[in-house]
Amino acid sequence: MPKFRLIATALLCFAGAITTAQAQVWKCTIDGKVQYSDQPCPAKGEAMKSRSLQSNVIDTSADRAAIERAKAAAAEQQAATATPSAAPVAPVAPANVCPSDRDIAGMETKASSISLSPEAKRFVQDEIRRARQCQKGQGKYSAADWTVSKQAVDAQSSLTGGPDARRRAEAIHSAADPAEGDRIARQREAEEREANRRLLRERPLRDR
């Protein structure tokens, strides 16, 4: 039994001496008994064949490589199945803005005023017609356009600001509705011809 305990003790010492380097073990004979030691034998003995011992470390490089490959495959699959981004939506053109029925009723009241000149009355009646054309889908107007129109209608009661306000309103109608622009141009030509004829009638005979 003592011999086995010595051998076991020697093996435990041998196991505790394991390092990442090469471990040297000696087989010694002391008093006719074989013992193992990590030190040279004091008397009779021999060195055991040295063995390269590996450190108690697990190499996980292969596992890491497998994980990286799995991540790359998952990323490719996600990119392949991802919903393509929606195409940019083209801006929607603003809807045609027109006066309401209440606004038109206010213009009709203005047109019936006896204080308006014939030119001012005709302009307000034209604005009523243009507003109804807009409600039927003719032209491309904005709210700002009809603000100019309303200001022009209100200005017809003025003795000085009416003609300029009419020209501003007719300019926005010409830009918003080409057909109405042609009509306004023809109307101005007719007014100019009528104005010239009036001047000729009023000019004294001696100046002719």
Side-chain angles (χ1 to χ4, degrees), residues 18-148:
I18 293 177
T19 62
T20 58
Q22 291 183 346
Q24 182 68 59
V25 179
W26 296 81
K27 181 180 180 181
C28 305
T29 303
I30 302 175
D31 297 333
K33 299 177 181 179
V34 177
Q35 297 182 7
Y36 296 90
S37 174
D38 60 348
Q39 299 295 327
C41 300
K44 183 179 180 181
E46 61 180 343
M48 300 289 291
K49 182 178 180 181
S50 60
R51 295 181 181 178
S52 298
L53 301 178
Q54 297 179 349
S55 58
N56 189 21
V57 177
I58 300 175
D59 185 3
T60 60
S61 59
D63 294 338
R64 287 196 299 271
I67 292 173
E68 294 299 327
R69 287 194 297 271
K71 287 182 178 180
E76 291 178 359
Q77 183 178 3
Q78 183 177 1
T81 58
T83 303
S85 57
V89 180
V92 180
N96 195 24
V97 179
C98 305
S100 64
D101 291 338
R102 182 176 180 180
D103 296 331
I104 294 176
M107 287 190 284
E108 290 173 340
T109 301
K110 185 76 172 181
S112 64
S113 174
I114 60 175
S115 63
L116 296 180
S117 66
E119 294 82 3
K121 186 183 291 291
R122 184 170 58 250
F123 168 74
V124 176
Q125 290 172 343
D126 284 340
E127 289 302 283
I128 295 171
R129 177 180 53 79
R130 292 160 184 157
R132 294 194 184 282
Q133 289 176 171
C134 179
Q135 288 184 336
K136 294 178 181 179
Q138 181 172 331
K140 293 295 181 182
Y141 289 92
S142 67
D145 293 336
W146 290 110
T147 298
V148 174

Side-chain angles (χ1 to χ4, degrees), residues 166-181:
R166 287 199 296 271
R167 283 191 289 270
R168 288 194 296 271
E170 289 172 348
I172 64 106
H173 287 300
S174 298
D177 185 354
E180 188 64 23

Side-chain angles (χ1 to χ4, degrees), residues 184-196:
I184 291 172
R186 292 193 301 270
Q187 182 177 339
R188 286 182 178 176
E189 291 175 357
E191 290 175 352
E192 290 177 359
R193 289 194 298 268
E194 179 62 26
N196 291 333

